[in-house]
Every structure is written in structure tokens, then in C-alpha cells.
Amino acid sequence: MAKTNPGRFFEDYSVGQVLHHAVPRTVTDGERALYHALYPARHALYSSDEFARASGLPQSPLDDMAAFHVVFGKTVPDVSLNAVANLGYAEGRWLKPVYPGDTLRSESEVIGVKQNSNGKTGVVYVRTRGLNQRDEAVMEYVRWVMVRKSDLSTAAPEAVVPQLKKALEPGDLVIPKGLDFSNYDFTQAGEAHRWSDYEIGEKIDHVDGVTVEEAEHMLATRLWQNTAKVHFDLTFRPEGRLIYGGHVISMARALSFNGLANAQMVVGLNGGAHANPCFAGDTIKTWSEVLDKAETDVPGVGAIRLRLVATKGGEPFELKNEDGRYMPNILLDLDYWALMPV
């Protein structure tokens, strides 16, 4: 009897299937230190316990994207070990802050399957929840992945493609209990720009860039216990080691600090596309577009919807060509909601 796990292939998934992912992970201040070593992350709420307490939280939480990576990494052996590519995200919500000492685990439900016309791969849709040690959901999101078939003779399943929201409504967003930006310290946060200073349609060039190093990507991918073969085994991607999409997300979010230092908490993920592959040696630069704004009933807190675009060269604010396809230099197109002092 085989003891090793080859991972699931496309024909192994069925709609309604629930996957309970191993292994629970207790997060510590070590995750924060490593996260800030890997990315130029400087948002004050995640850097300072004192700033967080002044904002109504008991202490500084783990960075939103760091918590996302921990939850995401748990799912890889069951969802994307044999993936060709992670294709997109939708309906993502951060439901509770994650603090050092919390233990996270993940579970996913298969909500859609669709075989591709080549008969060699198919797309699997899953809704994943991250839960803490009290069985409280700390986040949830949908993602869809292109997965290889093992037995090409297996009949195609009935195609089920879930209907997903194009964007979360402001009322869908969960604001952490106690959060209060009414006494927000803009000097310590690093910029004076508040929610009311941003206009819908405004575009921001974040100016700074970081060259992706293979060693840092390998460290990050192992840190999140992401075992996807395309990130480690070059026989699966002979043209080069594919950089984990989450590494690009975190780098882009950190680079957006210059111009969006007060977009403190990510609370919603409306959609996302890894438009082109990223490889070691690529230099990531970013720009953002303000898509929407919404008031909240929490003191001093406004919600802002942002498009975050990561590029590997080219002019800022270019996204798609005349055919509606992403330009070849676009790495990431991410649509998210953040909380910002009004």
C-alpha cells in the first residue's frame, strides 16, 4: 500500500467535496519578523503594538497577507499540488484579526469543476475558510486553479461554474471589533493622506521597485508551507522557477505604502488575476487606482476599494491592449477593499 501522497488530479474533485487540510499552524512574532524581512512592509498597524492599541486593538495583528498565506499554504497539498497555475480569486473577506499565539487551520469546499477543451487539464473552484483555535473563521475566499489530469481517458464531469460576486458590497466587509481611527496619528503612520483626500478614478504611481530574488521566494514559499511543485521542481517548469503568486501580492502590497500608507487593513478581496508569470530577476513595480469609496459606522474609519497592479517594466497605468488582454509586463491585477482613517 502506497504511503506517499501524489496529490489530487482534476478527476479526483467533485462538487460538494469538503477538504480538511493538514497541518494546523501556531503563528508567532517570528512570522511578522520574517514577513517584514521578506517584503518592505511598513504599515503602522502591523508594525507597532502601541499604534495598534491607540487604534482600539489589543496589540498589533499579523499582517493581513501573512495570515492569508498561512491559510492558503495549508490548502496547497489538497488543491494545487498538481496545478498548472492559480487563476484567480473572488469573495475574499478577512473576518477577524490574527494575533501571535493563534493557531490556524484551513478547510475548503469544491464549488465548481470544468474540464478544459484540451482534455488534459481542468479548472477547480474552491471556497476556503481559515479558522483559529476557537473554531472562529478568520477569513474566507474563493479561488480557481487549473489542475492536470492523471488519467486522460477519464470522462469530463458535468461543468459547474459558480456565480461569484464581481465585487463585495461595503456591507459585506467586517471591521474588527474595537477598531477606532478617531485619534489616528498621521505622523507615525508616515503620510498625511486620509480617506477624504482620495478620489474615485485617481491613479497612483508607487514609484519604488524591488527585484525578485530566487532565494527570498524559496524562503517565503517554505515559510507558508506551500508545496506546489511549480515553485520547487524545475522539471515541472523547465523555462524557470515560477514565483509564488502570493509573493507577488505581498511585494505589491508593501510597495503600495508609498502613496497609500494609511490604507491600513485589507478587509476584502474582490478579485485577482496573476496575469503573467513572474520569475527570479524580474523587478516588480506597482500602481493603484481608486475604484470606490464607502463610509462606515465605525469612528474615524472609511473603506476604500483599490486596484493594485504589479508590473515587470513598462509605463505605469497601462493594463490591457486593444484586444482586452493583459499587457505582457503585467504580473498582478488585484481588486481589494482596505480601511483608512477619514
Side-chain angles (χ1 to χ4, degrees):
M1 181 179 178
K3 299 294 192 296
T4 55
N5 174 24
R8 287 177 168 84
F9 293 88
F10 177 70
E11 63 266 30
D12 298 322
Y13 297 95
S14 58
V15 174
Q17 187 177 18
V18 177
L19 309 173
H20 299 279
H21 308 294
V23 172
R25 171 109 172 230
T26 301
V27 298
T28 69
D29 283 321
E31 269 81 5
R32 176 184 291 118
L34 274 171
Y35 190 85
H36 288 202
L38 289 165
Y39 311 106
R42 291 182 289 157
H43 287 88
L45 200 71
Y46 300 104
S47 301
S48 165
D49 284 341
E50 293 306 315
F51 191 96
R53 280 193 277 268
S55 300
L57 302 181
Q59 66 182 104
S60 180
L62 193 67
D63 288 72
D64 300 309
M65 290 305 175
F68 171 78
H69 294 323
V70 172
V71 171
F72 183 102
K74 305 289 101 193
T75 72
V76 170
D78 298 313
V79 175
S80 48
L81 192 66
N82 295 305
V84 178
N86 190 58
L87 300 178
Y89 310 92
E91 297 185 5
R93 297 194 302 160
W94 280 255
L95 304 170
K96 283 183 176 292
V98 175
Y99 294 104
D102 283 346
T103 297
L104 302 182
R105 61 182 178 85
S106 304
E107 62 182 30
S108 299
E109 180 183 357
V110 179
I111 60 173
V113 291
K114 184 179 185 295
Q115 183 166 304
N116 291 327
S117 58
N118 63 12
K120 298 178 181 180
T121 59
V123 178
V124 179
Y125 298 80
V126 297
R127 186 181 300 276
T128 295
R129 293 198 308 157
L131 301 108
N132 63 20
Q133 67 274 21
R134 294 178 293 276
D135 288 332
E136 299 167 335
V138 299
M139 71 179 59
E140 63 182 11
Y141 62 89
V142 172
R143 73 165 169 138
W144 47 104
V145 186
M146 187 187 302
V147 182
R148 295 178 177 87
K149 289 185 72 173
S150 176
D151 182 357
L152 300 187
S153 66
T154 303
E158 179 183 355
V160 177
V161 178
Q163 296 296 311
L164 301 169
K165 294 182 178 181
K166 291 184 178 180
L168 297 170
E169 298 294 333
D172 295 328
L173 307 177
V174 177
I175 300 177
K177 183 179 179 180
L179 188 70
D180 184 342
F181 284 160
S182 56
N183 295 309
Y184 190 89
D185 190 326
F186 288 89
T187 300
Q188 289 191 358
E191 287 181 353
H193 315 305
R194 60 181 71 221
W195 181 84
S196 57
D197 295 326
Y198 292 88
E199 297 181 1
I200 295 173
E202 179 179 358
K203 294 181 179 179
I204 304 159
D205 180 2
H206 298 297
V207 182
D208 305 315
V210 172
T211 301
V212 176
E213 302 289 346
E214 181 158 326
E216 292 178 349
H217 160 256
M218 295 292 284
L219 178 62
T221 312
R222 290 180 180 133
L223 175 63
W224 315 126
Q225 298 175 322
N226 182 333
T227 57
K229 296 173 184 178
V230 291
H231 303 317
F232 292 103
D233 187 342
L234 284 177
T235 63
F236 280 83
R237 197 90 186 205
E239 69 271 32
R241 195 187 312 280
L242 184 68
I243 300 298
Y244 165 45
H247 193 67
V248 178
I249 291 174
S250 280
M251 192 68 75
R253 160 72 172 159
L255 288 170
S256 73
F257 178 90
N258 189 352
L260 285 169
N262 295 316
Q264 288 289 351
M265 302 194 80
V266 176
V267 289
L269 180 59
N270 300 306
H274 298 291
N276 288 287
C278 180
F279 298 101
D282 289 342
T283 296
I284 297 177
K285 292 192 174 184
T286 59
W287 56 270
S288 292
E289 179 183 2
V290 180
L291 299 179
D292 201 359
K293 296 170 64 178
E295 297 179 347
T296 78
D297 57 3
V298 176
V301 177
I304 186 167
R305 182 182 168 194
L306 298 160
R307 160 175 269 159
L308 174 62
V309 177
T311 73
K312 53 177 178 180
E315 294 298 317
F317 314 135
E318 294 180 343
L319 188 65
K320 296 182 180 181
N321 59 27
E322 293 178 355
D323 297 329
R325 296 179 180 274
Y326 285 108
M327 303 284 283
N329 64 306
I330 302 299
L331 297 173
L332 173 73
D333 181 10
L334 197 73
D335 180 341
Y336 70 101
W337 282 99
L339 301 181
M340 179 180 281
V342 298

